[in-house]
Amino acid sequence: MNYKNTKEDYGRIARWFHWGTALLFLFAYMAVYYRHWFTDKQTPENLVALHLHLSFGVTVGVVVILRIIWRNMNIQPTLEPGPTWQHWLVHVVHYGLYAVMIVMPLSGYIGTGVSTNFFYLFEIPKFADTWLFDVLVWDMMGLTFEEFEKPVDFFHKEIMGAWLVWLLIAGHAAAALYHHFRLRDRTLLKMIHH
Ligand code: HEM
Ligand code: HEM
């Protein structure tokens, strides 16, 4: 199988990026919901679940940079025939998903008041400890971390995490399954080994 995309199929690398990222999202969600639903505050499990959420999330943020570079070095497989509005919607959703892969790690990172213990391998300093925070937030906006954190958290958790991200991913996955099982075209096959 090709490493690069062809007009017919996504290549090996694009598939790894795609399904690897889907797994990272799944694990990031599992960690944060496990923390909410099954642990008590300040217990060791609670902290481990938090740092796993942060670690998976930061990984998404690193992977998406490589993924965008790779995408720009490739052609995109041709979409299955369909009405113009559908092709337009496909592009909106795919760009929306890229936006999510960038905005979620970013808003998560800048709105978190603890340093990330990256899979317990090394520590990533929290945003409030960086010079960027001093320059942008403290000097230019005149805000303390607590003031700055509130709206950023609200965006990360309530607007995006709990709603928009779910909606986009669920709509995207449902469309893929609909194409595969109902329309029986090659949409899903382009992204899996066959
Ligand atoms: C793919 C990336 C990410 C996704 C999809 C994501 C999603 C979420 C979701 C769904 C929640 C819980 C919302 C709720 O309470 O209903 C959450 C909470 C949180 N996220 Fe993220 N996140 C991501 C990346 C990050 C990153 C990179 C960081 C920090 C480095 C981070 C820090 C946090 C923190 C501190 C919370 C609050 C924890 C809690 O309430 O238990 N997130 N995130
Ligand atoms: C079970 C979950 C998923 C399924 C079944 C699925 C399926 C697919 C399929 C079949 C395509 C190819 C569409 C085409 O070119 O006609 C695709 C593309 C794409 N998917 Fe997913 N997907 C899933 C989860 C995700 C997640 C979680 C993300 C990101 C957060 C994502 C982001 C993308 C992007 C950006 C593309 C465009 C191609 C690219 O640039 O890599 N997908 N997906």
Side-chain angles (χ1 to χ4, degrees):
M1 198 219 293
N2 287 311
Y3 282 95
K4 296 193 87 168
N5 297 351
T6 62
K7 277 275 161 229
E8 289 76 39
D9 282 300
Y10 288 98
R12 201 186 280 261
I13 307 279
R15 291 174 187 197
W16 269 101
F17 275 133
H18 180 268
W19 296 113
T21 303
L23 272 185
L24 288 171
F25 266 77
L26 179 68
F27 293 154
Y29 266 108
M30 279 169 51
V32 86
Y33 285 138
Y34 177 82
R35 175 170 203 252
H36 268 230
W37 294 335
F38 301 114
T39 68
D40 294 320
K41 285 215 164 74
Q42 299 304 332
T43 55
E45 305 88 81
N46 179 272
L47 276 181
V48 171
L50 174 66
H51 284 282
L52 285 179
H53 176 71
L54 310 186
S55 302
F56 286 122
V58 167
T59 310
V60 169
V62 174
V63 168
V64 73
I65 299 170
L66 303 173
R67 182 167 174 184
I68 290 172
I69 295 173
W70 182 250
R71 185 177 155 114
N72 281 305
M73 292 164 59
N74 277 262
I75 52 166
Q76 296 307 306
T78 321
L79 295 177
E80 295 297 311
T84 315
W85 68 265
Q86 249 180 36
H87 285 180
W88 179 82
L89 190 62
V90 168
H91 290 125
V92 170
V93 171
H94 288 178
Y95 280 114
L97 288 166
Y98 275 106
V100 160
M101 291 184 269
I102 296 167
V103 157
M104 289 310 284
L106 210 60
S107 60
Y109 175 71
I110 64 175
T112 298
V114 297
S115 296
T116 297
N117 211 330
F118 190 78
F119 294 113
Y120 291 86
L121 297 172
F122 56 88
E123 209 170 87
I124 303 172
K126 60 175 182 281
F127 180 55
D129 283 347
T130 62
W131 63 268
L132 204 61
F133 172 83
D134 289 342
V135 174
L136 286 181
V137 181
W138 184 251
D139 290 344
M140 285 172 67
M141 295 155 84
L143 297 176
T144 63
F145 181 74
E146 286 68 29
E147 290 164 337
F148 172 75
E149 173 194 40
K150 272 214 176 86
V152 177
D153 265 3
F154 185 74
F155 174 81
H156 182 81
K157 295 196 219 166
E158 315 297 337
I159 298 180
M160 297 296 289
W163 282 105
L164 255 168
V165 178
W166 271 124
L167 213 68
L168 264 181
I169 293 178
H172 172 71
L177 297 178
Y178 182 76
H179 273 270
H180 189 68
F181 291 109
R182 270 311 167 88
L183 304 178
R184 295 175 185 277
D185 61 23
R186 292 196 65 257
T187 302
L188 185 61
L189 294 179
K190 286 175 195 168
M191 211 27 125
I192 56 179
H193 185 66
H194 56 277

